[in-house]
Amino acid sequence: MARKKILDSFNPRITIRARITITFAVMLTVCGTVILGGVYLFMKFVPTYNITELTGDQAKQSVPEGATYVGTASAFPMPSGEPGTVQDLPVDPGQSATITITNVSDILGVLLWVFIAMILLITALGSLASWIIAGRMLNPLKTINNAAKRAATGSLDHRIALAGPHDEIRDLSDTFDDMLGKLERSFQAHERFSANASHELRTPLATNQTLLEVALADPEVDRESLLTTARRVQETNRQNISLIESLLDLTVIDDAEIEHEKVVLAPLVTNALKDLSSELDEIEVEVLASDIDEECWMRGDPVLLQRLVFNLLQNAVRHNTQGGNLSVSLSRHEGDAQILVINDGDVIDPDIVSSLTEPFFRGRGRVAASGKRRGFGLGLALVANIVELHQGTLELKANPGGGLSARVALPLAGGDL
């Protein structure tokens, strides 16, 4: 830390605005120097100068009426025809005698000093303009910085919504807004997950506590009543174990490294329907599974893909209606293996469809009619995670007449079967 402070002392902080200003000022100075230097060299070496020197008599004869003489250093000849160092030269009263040009050296000397003055003026004006323009261009970064500071405090409900030209800073602002939105939704989902997990675990524990208290409060409780209470506690504990296993599966899948094996998808659908046969018979659901591509295969984790298909179909069964329909198809489309599951059920609000993949989320009416096969709201959450691990897509859509349509697209092995 001390070494870093020492290094920072030799590397002072220079703002981006100052760096842009310095850069533009140096560029203007260099460009101006090159241009003016080129003009100077051209005027010095390219033209041929033919300056006629006047004798004293010629100079006096060329004096305009009303002009005066001034003493100045000159290369003009004396009136006798011999060169001298001081000569009376004619000066127009309306002209300044500050700069007198008598030969090529005077021309180049004046030109050089004018060039130097112009370079300094261009540098000064360019630096001022660069400072103002850089400030206007970088001003949105202050807004982004303030938004980032607010986000660091835990506030994620604000957005930058930067207006103006669609440049790199605008892209940065839009990306930051998108990140804030995703973080806000993620934190809200985690908060709901924590609250729902606590509720799901507390309810059966409270039920067990009540059952045990009632049984122990009766001093004349018989054996049959105790057995009934024990069975109910056992069933509640079984549900708790299932819930915890589902939570563990959800956690493990998030960090899983999938196996890349050849997996034929058709048997996964057949096996899942067989495993759900008792639930299908219980609510008399008719299954339509005629459109199944037997040759459809991909590379992935066979265990996870089996869980994906089973959860997808189980969700369609448990949230179906008594005597309803369930349609499942498996096909190939544009290099993807598509699994489409459509089930009857209660009408679902389209606004909550996107939330069905959140853990513990249950839409209104999404409980089996019998009430005996109530899920934990983790089935579609597991499906979404498995699909993401296999770089696929999951699309959920509420059916106008009730129920849900779930479409899973998984990339086939190189698109070549």
Side-chain angles (χ1 to χ4, degrees):
M1 184 63 69
R3 181 181 180 184
K4 184 177 182 300
K5 291 182 178 180
I6 294 174
L7 293 176
D8 290 341
S9 63
F10 291 100
N11 187 21
R13 180 178 180 268
I14 301 178
T15 63
I16 296 179
R17 186 179 186 183
R19 291 203 297 268
I20 292 177
T21 302
I22 294 172
T23 301
F24 274 97
V26 171
M27 289 177 60
L28 287 171
T29 303
V30 172
C31 292
T33 302
V34 171
I35 294 173
L36 299 180
V39 174
Y40 178 83
L41 294 175
F42 178 86
M43 294 296 295
K44 182 175 182 180
F45 295 106
V46 176
T48 299
Y49 295 93
N50 186 11
I51 299 178
T52 303
E53 296 181 347
L54 301 178
T55 62
D57 294 336
Q58 291 172 334
K60 290 181 179 181
Q61 291 175 2
S62 64
V63 176
E65 184 178 355
T68 59
Y69 291 94
V70 297
T72 179
S74 174
F76 289 171
M78 298 292 288
S80 62
E82 296 180 359
T85 58
V86 178
Q87 174 69 33
D88 292 334
L89 297 178
V91 177
D92 192 328
Q95 296 179 344
S96 172
T98 305
I99 300 176
T100 302
I101 297 176
T102 61
N103 52 39
V104 175
S105 298
D106 291 342
I107 294 175
L108 296 177
V110 172
L111 192 64
L112 179 61
W113 283 108
V114 172
F115 283 174
I116 293 174
M118 291 302 297
I119 290 174
L120 295 176
L121 180 62
I122 291 173
T123 302
L125 294 178
S127 299
L128 178 61
S130 300
W131 179 262
I132 296 174
I133 294 173
R136 292 177 61 88
M137 293 178 60
L138 297 176
N139 189 57
L141 291 180
K142 295 181 180 179
T143 305
I144 297 176
N145 185 51
N146 293 333
K149 289 180 179 179
R150 288 185 60 186
T153 62
S155 175
L156 301 173
D157 58 347
H158 60 285
R159 300 293 182 269
I160 300 173
L162 190 65
H166 204 125
D167 53 11
E168 291 82 358
I169 297 180
R170 173 74 176 276
D171 291 340
L172 175 62
S173 171
D174 294 343
T175 302
F176 192 84
D177 284 344
D178 184 57
M179 181 191 69
L180 286 177
K182 290 181 179 179
L183 286 175
E184 184 180 19
R185 291 190 294 270
S186 177
F187 281 120
Q188 289 176 351
H190 279 81
E191 289 177 357
R192 288 194 297 268
F193 176 85
S194 300
N196 292 332
S198 300
H199 174 75
E200 293 289 342
L201 291 172
R202 182 182 61 185
T203 300
L205 292 176
T207 300
N208 285 348
Q209 181 69 19
T210 302
L211 291 173
L212 294 174
E213 288 179 352
V214 170
L216 295 175
D218 186 2
E220 299 179 358
V221 62
D222 55 12
R223 181 175 180 276
E224 187 62 28
S225 297
L226 289 176
L227 290 176
T228 301
T229 299
R231 293 190 188 98
R232 294 182 63 181
V233 170
Q234 183 184 35
E235 177 62 22
T236 304
N237 285 340
R238 186 192 63 78
Q239 293 180 1
N240 284 339
I241 293 173
S242 298
L243 172 59
I244 293 173
E245 288 178 347
S246 298
L247 289 175
L248 291 175
D249 289 340
L250 192 62
T251 304
V252 170
I253 288 176
D254 284 337
D255 300 326
E257 294 184 3
I258 63 174
E259 299 289 338
H260 293 281
E261 301 178 11
K262 179 179 178 180
V263 180
V264 181
L265 298 177
L268 304 185
V269 177
T270 304
N271 294 336
L273 290 175
K274 288 181 179 179
D275 294 337
L276 293 168
S277 59
S278 60
E279 295 187 39
L280 290 169
D281 295 338
E282 184 178 346
I283 58 175
E284 301 177 348
V285 169
E286 181 179 353
V287 178
L288 177 61
S290 58
D291 187 13
I292 302 295
D293 189 341
E294 299 292 341
E295 302 297 326
C296 189
W297 66 276
M298 62 173 294
R299 293 196 177 278
D301 190 302
V303 176
L304 293 180
L305 290 174
Q306 178 65 65
R307 185 66 179 271
L308 182 155
V309 175
F310 179 82
N311 281 13
L312 203 60
L313 292 173
Q314 185 185 57
N315 181 79
V317 172
R318 291 190 174 181
H319 301 297
N320 214 311
T321 56
Q322 187 73 29
N325 297 309
L326 188 155
S327 171
V328 55
S329 64
L330 171 63
S331 60
R332 288 171 281 177
H333 179 70
E334 297 182 354
D336 289 335
Q338 292 196 359
I339 305 172
L340 177 61
V341 177
I342 304 174
N343 64 277
D344 292 339
D346 296 323
V347 177
I348 304 172
D349 185 355
D351 293 336
I352 69 171
V353 170
S354 60
S355 301
L356 294 178
T357 56
E358 294 182 9
F360 298 110
F361 187 91
R362 301 185 187 90
R364 183 178 179 181
R366 293 186 55 74
V367 178
S370 64
K372 297 179 181 179
R373 300 280 187 179
R374 183 174 182 271
F376 301 111
L378 296 174
L380 290 180
L382 288 168
V383 169
N385 284 12
I386 297 173
V387 168
E388 183 178 358
L389 280 175
H390 287 82
Q391 299 179 350
T393 58
L394 171 64
E395 179 185 356
L396 301 178
K397 182 180 179 181
N399 300 327
L404 187 70
S405 295
R407 184 188 303 272
V408 173
L410 299 170
L412 295 171
D416 184 10
L417 299 179

